[in-house]
Amino acid sequence: MPENLNLLRAFGVFFFIFWTAFNTALPRLLQSVLLAMTCVLHFFLSFPPPPLHSVKLWASAFGGEIKSIAAKYSGSQLLQKKYKEYEKDVAIEEIDGLQLVKKLAKNMEEMFHKKSEAVRRLVEAAEDAYLKHEFDADLQYEYFNAVLINERDEEGNYLELGKEFILVPNDHFNNLPVNISLSDVQVPTNMYNKDPAIVNGVYWSESLNKVFVDNFDRDPSLIWQYFGSAKGFFRQYPGIKWEPDENGVIAFDCRNRKWYIQAATSPKDVVILVDVSGSMKGLRLTIAKQTVSSILDTLGDDDFFNIIAYNEELHYVEPCLNGTLVQADRANKEHFREHLDKLFAKGIGMLDIALNEAFNMLNEFNHTGQGSICSQAIMLITDGAVDTYDTIFAKYNWPDRKVRIFTYLIGREAAFADNLKWMACANKGFFTQISTLADVQENVMEYLHVLSRPKVIDQEHDVVWTEAYIDSTLADDQGLVLMTTVAMPVFSKQNETRSKGILLGVVGTDVPVKELLKTIPKYKGEVELGAL
């Protein structure tokens, strides 16, 4: 008991000294105070408590010493003296916060308008050029292929589509070798660069060159401008050389980029149904998994999705997300891709169970007010369907047909093709057959054309600004560059195609975030420092 009493007394003395010093000296050196208090605590644990007046004297002396040290090392007195010297020359002027905000808003509006107008001019030029063009299946046209430019064969001759293309380092493009007079064209490795559809598209889009240059003259702050074709080619200004990866492949497909997806289609909720019955063993299941992965590539942050594998039972690819949809951001898509490897084929395919689940999920998710609150779709990946399941569609989807059905027939057999075609056509969707892995990419892309039709028919040239993302091409001494993209869709205006709603592609230009920051005033208030 006496030991506890002594400890309590010691703590009381410690607290008294700390509080007295706290009120005596400001500013304080916290580290010195804690060290000193610790020493005092140890001291009073070993001896009887001292008289109260002695403790007051110690605290006063301790506080005075701390104040002296703080004044010496903080330079507060010197700062006060300097301020007094210049005080008569300093004028603090109040600013109008509302006017400051209005000025910022005006600057931002002007910047947004300039970028949007540059894109709008590209849209008008592209649509006019296509309107005047007549498709020629035998068209021969030597364009600048971004991969082949300046490449020569063993005899020193330029490769086909690889003519001389002048490239000069440009500090506006981080000293990358570019051609500010011409654009060039990138074609994904899995596509034939002399396919008639691509050659015709490259030919009529050549007229964008003069608009690219004119835009750059009007607004020298512009960087990359481009046209991403629905056929898969990518026209970029200024022209630049593209290098394949270590495997000689360029996997870049403009139609998988966020700016393309957001401009081409409205936000959507998607349920992907994958047949994992016994007949899907081997290559068919491999193709099915790749098809799912390609569909995920076409989804953006505005979209929501889930994946259900089915045989006689339902198997959510991610069991923790049973009965709901998740945002199609990069992390979620990669997570689902990892789980695709766990799928294996066995049993009997009960498509009716899967369709019921998909419709119920979309309906419930839509009523919660979550998701895209826009388009809805079911993607069916299977090697066949024994029925048309019209009773299910009549129950959930007719007559409004708010949910589009897209069917992907896996394999070379066409025995059940008619049923799948009927399901797609009866529900405002699209049917396609995928026989090999090489067919996957192009066949998956077809659904984007269907979802874009309402926008095309209504001629909705919406300007889309993407969320900020990291770009490595213009990385400088300060590291990677934060970028956003402004994009607009390009439609066919030809009378014979207008009612079908044909999307030609998407135009866009990149805008570094630092360009947006330039519109923000570099001050929070105005201070005139005179002689300072």
Side-chain angles (χ1 to χ4, degrees), residues 171-188:
D171 56 358
H172 185 63
F173 296 91
N174 200 28
N175 285 320
L176 289 172
V178 299
N179 187 318
I180 59 172
S181 300
L182 293 170
S183 62
D184 58 4
V185 176
Q186 176 265 343
V187 180

Side-chain angles (χ1 to χ4, degrees), residues 256 288-299 337 440-442 444-445 447:
N256 287 337
K289 291 178 181 178
Q290 185 59 43
T291 302
V292 174
S293 183
S294 292
I295 292 173
L296 293 181
D297 285 337
T298 66
L299 302 181
R337 277 195 181 94
V440 172
Q441 182 81 357
E442 283 305 304
V444 164
M445 290 296 173
Y447 94 88

Side-chain angles (χ1 to χ4, degrees), residues 256-259 261-262 265-269 296-305 326-333 371-372 465-469:
N256 287 337
R257 309 305 290 180
K258 289 182 180 180
W259 52 267
I261 296 167
Q262 287 182 233
T265 65
S266 303
K268 50 196 172 293
D269 300 330
L296 293 181
D297 285 337
T298 66
L299 302 181
D301 289 354
D302 294 335
D303 304 321
F304 290 78
F305 77 102
V326 296
Q327 185 182 9
D329 58 30
R330 178 177 295 184
N332 284 334
K333 290 192 291 186
S372 67
W465 288 80
T466 68
E467 70 279 5
Y469 60 91

Side-chain angles (χ1 to χ4, degrees), residues 30 45 97 164 174 196 236-237 251 279 296 302 368 417:
L30 181 58
L45 285 175
E164 182 180 11
N174 200 28
Q236 181 180 22
Y237 172 87
S279 61
L296 293 181
D302 294 335
T368 63

